Amino acid sequence: IEKWFGVALPTQGYAEAETPRDLLTLIGSAERQPTTASQPHISLPETETEIYYPTEAMTLTQVLKWHCEQQPERTHLLLYEDDEQATPISYAELYQEAQAIAGGLLRTGLQSGQTAAIMLPTSRDYFISFFAILLCGAIPVPIYPPARLSQIEDHLRRHARILDNARARVMITTQEIVPLARLLKAQTGALQSVVTTQMLMGTANSLVSMEINPWDIAFLQYTSGSTGQPKGVKLSHFNLLANIRAMGEAIRVGPQDVFVSWLPLYHDMGLIGAWLGSLYHGIPLVVMSPLLFLTRPYRWLKVIQQYGGTLSAAPNFAYELCLSKVEDSSIEGLDLSSWRMAFNGAEPVSPNTIRRFTQRFAPYGFRAEAMAPVYGLAESAVGLAFPPPGRLPPIDRLQRNALDRDGSAIPAADSDPDVLEVVACGQPLRGHQVRIVDDQGRELPERRVGYLQFQGPSATSGYMHNPQATERLFNGPWLDSGDLAYIAAGDIYLTSRAKEIIIRAGRNIYPHELEEAVGDIEGVRKGCVAVFGSKDPKYGTERLIVVAETRSTDRAMHQRLREKIMAVSVDLTGLAADEVRLVGPHAVLKTSSGKIRRAATRDRYEEGLLEQQHRAIWKQFSRLLLTGLGPEWRRLQQALRGQAYAAYAWGLFGLMAPMVWLLVAILPKLEWRWSLIKGSARLIVRLAGVRLLVQGKEHLAEAGSAILVSNHASYLDGLLLVAALPGRFRIVAKKELRSKLIPRIFLQRIGAFFVERFDPQRGQEDFQQINIAATGGDPLLFFSEGTFSRSPGLLSFRIGAFAVAIDNALPVVPVALRGSRSLLRAKSWFPRRVMISIVVAAPIHGRGHDWEAKLRLRNQVRGEILKHAGEPDLSAEISPP
């Protein structure tokens, strides 16, 4: 269209066009210029002679901080969006903007360990949002935005299952998608907020720096499942860094490398292989929108030349697209000599594609040994097997009959006309192991096809909220890949997905080979063919079904196509297909990465829905709204239950609090008063249905006379600590409470101290009294933050408690409260039933007597509380990297 009309169509507009009228409108408003116009060049930073990696980093956030410390202004990303203008992003910019978004996420109520979905296209906002979620200690869940309104119902229903499974609390998306995403909110139970980065952006008062464990989940990668319960692969920071380091070692990443990628960021090859791998190794990543590649494949090759790209990756269909859609006129002067590794993975690798791509682009400097078929899967982060650099891809020619009959991968003679070609996908990464087993789990020898199993440091711990699928994944220490393969000379050769192999007349039929051959028939849409087995309801045998898309509507043409497809089936498999169905465009279902969804297409075939037209958009929205009524009703029920609980809790407190206060005011002995308030606090907690989990109480007895320091998150923290901790203690409270009659009488009667926070001279006088009482027996309890807010996060600690500890040679016992902020937030009078965790850590003894000793003690205690509080670090004293 662009060539015919001499215009450059906007990429996003072209992708969203649904009708010829839409295209005519675009053509009429498009700029009159050739689409191959040269683009502005942004220079990459000069490469160093030596490159250093964050080898000590244990988490992704530590990796980013390391680069911010070592080379903050260095270009990390060169981002091509729709306008094809490259925007540089440095490490410091990524970190600082992620901090601002993280503050906004905390304001939405997102907490450590919760999940947040990212439904964004490849953009600056995506990269920033991903790290913002990590900085909050939360878990990113990448999902892809809708491509076409005509398919909105299927898109939202699939994503509703993912969001339900992940229990995502927040979704970050674009302003245009917000109304659609709110339909998702009605379909799910956990989703609370649908926001954009603009809504989240603000000036952070302090840095967000959540304590993250290497074994914490770094993000959830949802596999391309089409039906049933979604499978969200749990990948920890340890898994990801182990995989990235192993891949970098295998391909020998060096300071001269530049990665060029158009791969979607919601898939592991684009997210981990391209972006996070480049981030760790400190090499520039030139990243393009997938739409920019799909609409103009030559741009991928041009950008590789433009920036001297050495590494790039794509599924097999992308190399095929370059063969069929890139014209010589658009790549005049192209130089691909810098491209040292062209990774080919994520779907079956075609020997024909490898040969044809190498032959076509050899005159442009592409070397045959640069083509690198690889193997990986989400359950192993992304990579599992890589070839050594600089090797021609081995292609095995096998006797088809032996392979189909009993799975023997016997090399065929040169004269054998009936062969199956399989490409080697490399050897296992360092530290990873692979084995091939039979149906009974016994390991098979070389050149025998069986089930591929693996293990290694990149292996997932399982699927999110899906114990049944997790159980099926593991076979002792080994994980099932779901693929059939064999090993020869150390290389892995993939033959098929185990669940997609078709067994007919005692023979094994591999779908992808027949799909590729049928796609080569003129009149069939290449890459739009699905081959699958379907049970014959009458005889119980498996039938071979071929579904192929064609634009032709001519009956005679359809008959000729069926005959050609039947002939190809007989030639390849020795068997005719039981049924050939010719369908219109978009009837064969695909994943977001372009893979054929064979199981989903089979389901539509068996239900008689293959050629069902997409419903009108208004009908899809109506159905979504109607199906959202159920979740909305459940949401209303939850709200009513919440209000009923709040009313009950306040009724309980209103009934007991006046009696307890009166008795505390009149009882003559301190021991009686404390017995009363401890018993009453425990009764209130029990009757309110609050689960209280206490760990480490033995440390209080070990400490003896001590200073207790707790974080402060709720109005009810004092009541919870009174209920949970043994013995009695003296609370150090802010002096403002002394001016209020009711709390003053209560606190004075239980031995509390009041401290002035804002007048240094009066504060010093108050602490002199506390110093006198510190060695008097009962421990002193300090809430060292001095205040609390509704947003989660541990604030800076005041020095007072630690000065008292150092001056009186007393140990400090850290007490970490977790969950009380959700029980009753600041500026809220709506209690919620939650579980409260209280961890009493081992006593910490200060060393020294000077001001530095007090600061060290404060930092030690605060660090211990941060480990258990489950909230981000909002300390203003932490300086940016």
Side-chain angles (χ1 to χ4, degrees):
I1 291 171
E2 289 183 326
K3 183 179 178 182
W4 184 270
F5 289 97
V7 297
L9 297 178
T11 304
Q12 188 65 34
Y14 181 78
E16 292 174 353
E18 299 279 0
T19 66
R21 182 186 297 275
D22 296 338
L23 286 177
L24 287 171
T25 301
L26 282 174
I27 292 167
S29 60
E31 296 180 17
R32 304 283 168 174
Q33 63 180 39
T35 61
T36 56
S38 61
Q39 302 299 322
H41 179 76
I42 295 179
S43 298
L44 290 172
E46 291 186 9
T47 55
E48 305 291 341
T49 55
E50 192 170 2
I51 190 168
Y52 298 95
Y53 309 138
T55 53
E56 301 300 317
M58 301 297 288
T59 66
L60 294 178
T61 52
Q62 289 176 5
V63 169
L64 179 57
K65 290 176 183 178
W66 186 91
H67 284 295
C68 285
E69 291 170 354
Q70 302 297 322
Q71 46 187 5
E73 302 307 320
R74 188 176 177 85
T75 298
H76 165 44
L77 300 167
L78 266 176
L79 177 61
Y80 277 89
E81 297 190 72
D82 264 357
D83 58 6
E84 301 188 39
Q85 303 295 316
T87 303
I89 303 173
S90 69
Y91 295 105
E93 287 176 305
L94 177 59
Y95 182 78
Q96 290 161 6
E97 292 179 35
Q99 281 285 350
I101 299 298
L105 286 169
L106 292 178
R107 290 192 294 272
T108 70
L110 183 67
Q111 298 182 26
S112 173
Q114 292 182 338
T115 50
I118 305 174
M119 186 191 277
L120 291 168
T122 298
S123 60
R124 188 185 195 102
D125 285 350
Y126 186 100
F127 296 103
I128 294 166
S129 298
F130 188 90
F131 262 100
I133 295 169
L134 287 179
L135 288 170
C136 293
I139 303 168
V141 183
I143 57 178
Y144 60 97
R148 294 176 180 271
L149 277 178
S150 62
Q151 301 170 10
I152 190 65
E153 185 176 3
D154 179 61
H155 179 90
L156 292 185
R157 287 192 188 281
R158 293 182 69 199
H159 280 350
R161 291 196 296 268
I162 289 175
L163 293 172
D164 253 349
N165 179 262
R167 299 175 189 169
R169 305 283 296 180
V170 179
M171 176 190 288
I172 306 175
T173 187
T174 63
Q175 190 62 50
E176 296 78 13
I177 299 176
V178 165
L180 304 179
R182 284 177 178 151
L183 287 174
L184 273 176
K185 185 177 176 182
Q187 303 282 324
T188 62
L191 191 60
Q192 300 295 317
S193 303
V194 177
V195 295
T196 66
T197 53
Q198 290 72 28
M199 295 162 62
L200 294 171
M201 189 69 73
T203 303
N205 295 325
S206 55
L207 293 177
V208 177
S209 181
M210 182 64 190
E211 187 78 18
I212 301 175
N213 188 293
W215 296 105
D216 288 344
I217 300 174
F219 82 100
L220 295 179
Q221 175 66 62
Y222 276 86
T223 57
S224 304
S226 56
T227 59
Q229 189 175 4
K231 293 193 295 184
V233 180
K234 295 187 289 188
L235 295 172
S236 69
H237 292 266
F238 177 86
N239 295 147
L240 291 173
L241 290 177
N243 201 241
I244 289 167
R245 285 163 174 149
M247 290 190 295
E249 179 183 348
I251 65 176
R252 302 168 197 167
V253 174
Q256 305 300 320
D257 279 316
V258 176
F259 206 121
V260 175
S261 177
W262 57 264
L263 296 167
L265 293 168
Y266 43 78
H267 264 269
D268 46 17
M269 197 154 74
L271 177 60
I272 307 170
W275 178 32
L276 298 179
S278 298
L279 173 68
Y280 176 83
H281 290 102
I283 62 175
L285 172 63
V286 185
V287 62
M288 307 161 54
S289 160
L291 286 176
L292 187 57
F293 164 73
L294 293 171
T295 53
R296 301 182 183 91
Y298 71 86
R299 288 291 296 137
W300 178 33
L301 307 178
K302 286 275 193 178
V303 170
I304 289 174
Q305 172 191 341
Q306 197 171 8
Y307 292 99
T310 59
L311 307 172
S312 196
N316 191 82
F317 86 85
Y319 296 98
E320 194 65 44
L321 199 63
C322 289
L323 290 169
S324 61
K325 300 298 182 184
V326 173
E327 298 181 355
D328 290 340
S329 59
S330 64
I331 54 172
E332 289 181 7
L334 179 68
D335 181 6
L336 298 177
S337 59
S338 66
W339 198 356
R340 71 178 185 88
M341 294 202 81
F343 306 109
N344 188 334
E347 64 183 28
V349 180
S350 166
N352 285 333
T353 302
I354 288 177
R355 284 190 286 260
R356 291 168 57 223
F357 188 90
T358 300
Q359 183 179 4
R360 166 78 190 280
F361 292 100
Y364 299 97
F366 184 80
R367 297 184 301 277
E369 59 269 24
M371 183 61 72
V374 294
Y375 173 63
L377 65 168
E379 288 80 358
S380 183
V382 60
L384 183 57
F386 274 56
R391 183 184 77 167
L392 289 172
I395 299 176
D396 230 354
R397 299 177 74 254
L398 305 176
Q399 297 178 13
R400 186 185 300 277
N401 285 335
L403 189 72
D404 292 349
R405 185 180 61 251
D406 61 7
S408 296
I410 301 174
D414 292 341
S415 58
D416 192 337
D418 189 20
V419 300
L420 175 68
E421 291 187 321
V422 187
V423 180
C425 294
Q427 300 96 37
L429 295 172
R430 184 175 180 180
H432 297 71
Q433 297 182 58
V434 166
R435 70 174 186 175
I436 309 297
V437 300
D438 61 16
D439 292 331
Q440 285 73 46
R442 294 188 292 264
E443 193 159 357
L444 291 170
E446 277 206 352
R447 291 196 169 275
R448 285 292 303 277
V449 174
Y451 300 95
L452 188 151
Q453 296 182 341
F454 68 96
Q455 60 177 247
S458 306
T460 178
S461 61
Y463 301 113
M464 191 72 162
H465 302 137
N466 197 335
Q468 295 82 10
T470 299
E471 186 177 357
R472 291 192 297 270
L473 176 65
F474 283 90
N475 184 357
W478 295 89
L479 287 79
D480 288 313
S481 69
D483 289 316
L484 293 171
Y486 66 91
I487 294 177
D491 272 296
I492 297 171
Y493 291 81
L494 274 293
T495 58
S496 177
R497 291 289 295 169
K499 62 183 178 182
E500 292 173 349
I501 192 170
I502 303 163
I503 302 174
R504 186 170 178 271
R507 302 189 65 176
N508 297 331
I509 298 172
Y510 301 93
H512 65 85
E513 186 195 19
L514 184 52
E515 288 168 351
E516 183 181 350
V518 172
D520 287 333
I521 298 173
E522 186 176 354
V524 173
R525 297 189 73 209
K526 191 170 183 64
C528 301
V529 180
V531 174
F532 51 83
S534 177
K535 292 291 183 183
D536 187 319
K538 184 175 181 180
Y539 299 105
T541 56
E542 196 161 37
R543 302 169 70 239
L544 176 60
I545 311 298
V546 179
V547 178
E549 290 184 9
T550 178
R551 296 189 185 280
S552 173
T553 57
D554 181 70
R555 290 189 176 183
M557 179 63 173
H558 278 206
Q559 182 58 35
R560 289 193 294 273
L561 286 176
R562 287 192 184 93
E563 290 171 359
K564 290 181 180 179
I565 292 171
M566 283 289 189
V568 167
S569 176
V570 172
D571 287 345
L572 279 181
T573 69
L575 300 165
D578 291 282
E579 186 176 354
V580 174
R581 292 286 297 274
L582 297 174
V583 294
H586 309 303
V588 173
L589 302 179
K590 296 183 180 181
T591 68
S592 56
S593 59
K595 296 181 188 176
I596 299 297
R597 292 170 60 195
R598 296 188 184 98
T601 304
R602 180 193 62 216
D603 291 343
R604 294 194 69 174
Y605 162 80
E606 292 175 346
E607 293 168 8
L609 302 176
L610 260 184
E611 298 184 77
Q612 183 185 55
Q613 296 297 313
H614 290 296
R615 297 183 183 89
I617 293 174
W618 71 268
K619 289 185 178 179
Q620 295 187 51
F621 275 99
S622 298
R623 283 168 57 88
L624 288 167
L625 288 170
L626 286 173
T627 55
L629 292 178
E632 285 295 335
W633 170 243
R634 289 191 290 273
R635 203 186 301 270
L636 177 61
Q637 288 179 311
Q638 290 175 352
L640 291 173
R641 285 197 294 268
Q643 290 174 353
Y645 174 76
Y648 164 74
W650 279 116
L652 177 65
F653 187 79
L655 181 66
M656 294 191 63
M659 292 188 294
V660 173
W661 184 91
L662 182 61
L663 289 171
V664 167
I666 63 176
L667 286 174
K669 293 187 178 181
L670 181 63
E671 307 92 82
W672 295 356
R673 296 172 213 147
W674 265 93
S675 296
L676 171 68
I677 65 168
K678 290 188 77 67
S680 301
R682 289 168 181 164
L683 182 60
I684 289 174
V685 168
R686 188 177 300 113
L687 292 178
V690 175
R691 294 174 58 198
L692 195 58
L693 177 65
V694 185
Q695 297 175 292
K697 287 191 286 189
E698 67 277 5
H699 291 140
L700 292 172
E702 174 188 339
S705 294
I707 303 296
L708 310 183
V709 171
S710 174
N711 56 313
H712 201 10
S714 169
Y715 299 108
L716 301 178
D717 289 344
L719 181 144
L720 293 170
L721 292 177
V722 167
L725 302 182
R728 69 175 188 238
F729 43 83
R730 305 187 71 175
I731 300 172
V732 179
K734 59 185 179 182
K735 203 153 193 174
E736 295 94 297
L737 293 175
R738 194 169 190 172
S739 61
K740 298 177 181 179
L741 179 65
I742 292 177
R744 182 185 74 229
I745 292 174
F746 182 83
L747 290 169
Q748 284 178 334
R749 295 290 287 171
I750 63 171
F753 288 100
F754 297 95
V755 175
E756 171 60 52
R757 297 184 296 166
F758 305 113
D759 185 327
Q761 184 175 353
R762 292 185 179 179
Q764 185 67 29
E765 294 172 359
D766 293 333
F767 270 101
Q768 287 176 0
Q769 296 179 12
I770 292 174
N771 267 320
I772 294 171
T775 55
D778 290 342
L780 299 175
L781 171 64
F782 288 80
F783 292 107
S784 286
E785 290 171 281
T787 187
F788 61 92
S789 64
R790 71 167 312 279
S791 298
L794 192 66
L795 302 173
S796 304
F797 276 16
R798 297 174 183 272
I799 199 69
F802 312 99
V804 172
I806 290 292
D807 291 345
N808 295 279
L810 293 174
V812 177
V813 179
V815 180
L817 270 163
R818 183 170 185 167
S820 65
R821 198 183 306 273
S822 297
L823 178 63
L824 189 65
R825 288 183 180 271
K827 300 180 182 179
S828 169
W829 297 101
F830 196 90
R832 298 180 181 276
R833 194 192 330 245
V834 296
M835 188 184 81
I836 304 296
S837 167
I838 298 177
V839 176
V840 181
I844 298 176
H845 296 266
R847 296 188 178 182
H849 301 283
D850 57 4
W851 183 254
E852 290 298 323
K854 296 170 185 178
L855 291 176
R856 280 197 305 272
L857 180 59
R858 180 193 61 180
N859 293 340
Q860 283 181 276
V861 172
R862 190 176 181 281
E864 188 65 32
I865 291 175
L866 187 63
K867 288 181 185 178
H868 305 289
E871 294 191 345
D873 188 350
L874 299 183
S875 172
E877 290 135 12
I878 298 177
S879 56

